[in-house]
Amino acid sequence: MSRSARRITATLLASGALLGAAALPATADGWDHGHSRHAQRSAVVLGEIQYESPGRDNGSNRSLNAEWVTVTNTGRHSVNLRGWTLTDESRRSYTFDLRLAGRSSVRVHTGVGRDTRHDVYQDRRTYVWDSRDTATLRDNRGRKIDSESWGRHRDGGHRDGGYRDGGHRDGGHRGNR
């Protein structure tokens, strides 16, 4: 092969390698460039939250179960939540023992009840979620998966009816309803 043919071949091969590298997705290295955080996130997130039971806080089981936190699996595959925890700022904790199907949710109620695929119960006799609180979801290794705060900074400390619409994954403001 002539010297010029070798140069052309080498140039074409180098160009192909550069084009191939440029075509890889920006998150192929595991980092979300421009946001300085790891791109790999759990498909399981906190969703809607009903804190401070609506109506009179009379301590009845019905009133206790009217406050809840929704945990949602946004992925296609089921996730084993056994050993995962949902905790408030006072460190009151609920430990999961269920498998959450893909693209489904489970509502974690404060009071006593019979667990189903869509509703589980903390079996508590006192309220958990205050007007100023944070719900934190951790996996079975204690790693923080998601958290949602309300009652301070975002809404000026005013009651907003006791309802939070979580699920915004942009890391920014999470609006009230």
Side-chain angles (χ1 to χ4, degrees):
M1 187 182 285
S2 73
R3 187 174 185 174
S4 61
R6 281 191 300 239
R7 281 186 185 166
I8 291 172
T9 302
T11 302
L12 287 173
L13 288 172
S15 298
L18 286 173
L19 285 173
L24 288 174
T27 59
D29 63 0
W31 288 89
D32 185 5
H33 299 281
H35 296 286
S36 300
R37 66 177 185 255
H38 201 270
Q40 185 73 19
R41 285 194 245 166
S42 173
V44 180
V45 297
L46 293 174
E48 298 174 345
I49 298 171
Q50 174 63 57
Y51 62 89
E52 286 201 332
S53 179
R56 288 183 343 129
D57 289 347
N58 60 13
S60 70
N61 193 52
R62 182 177 182 157
S63 180
L64 289 167
N65 283 330
E67 73 171 18
W68 42 261
V69 174
T70 303
V71 176
T72 300
N73 179 359
T74 62
R76 293 183 323 175
H77 304 287
S78 68
V79 175
N80 185 358
L81 297 184
R82 176 175 280 176
W84 288 42
T85 59
L86 177 65
T87 309
D88 75 336
E89 283 183 354
S90 298
R91 297 202 171 138
R92 290 173 285 208
S93 185
Y94 171 77
T95 302
F96 289 89
D97 186 19
L98 65 98
R99 179 171 286 281
L100 186 57
R103 294 194 172 102
S104 68
S105 295
V106 64
R107 192 173 273 185
V108 182
H109 299 271
T110 298
V112 177
R114 185 170 159 251
D115 293 350
T116 68
R117 287 186 319 150
H118 301 288
D119 295 280
V120 294
Y121 299 84
Q122 296 187 52
D123 296 333
R124 295 188 180 274
R125 304 273 182 211
T126 58
Y127 297 99
V128 173
W129 308 108
D130 303 321
S131 63
R132 294 171 50 117
D133 214 337
T134 299
T136 302
L137 180 66
R138 294 186 184 276
D139 69 12
N140 59 356
R141 294 184 180 170
R143 290 182 298 219
K144 183 173 159 183
I145 300 300
D146 197 8
S147 68
E148 183 76 40
S149 296
W150 57 89
R152 60 178 75 77
H153 306 298
R154 290 192 172 98
D155 62 11
H158 300 291
R159 286 215 43 206
D160 62 1
Y163 180 82
R164 295 285 298 170
D165 180 14
H168 298 278
R169 304 283 54 104
D170 62 4
H173 177 73
R174 295 175 182 187
N176 299 342
R177 275 193 171 170

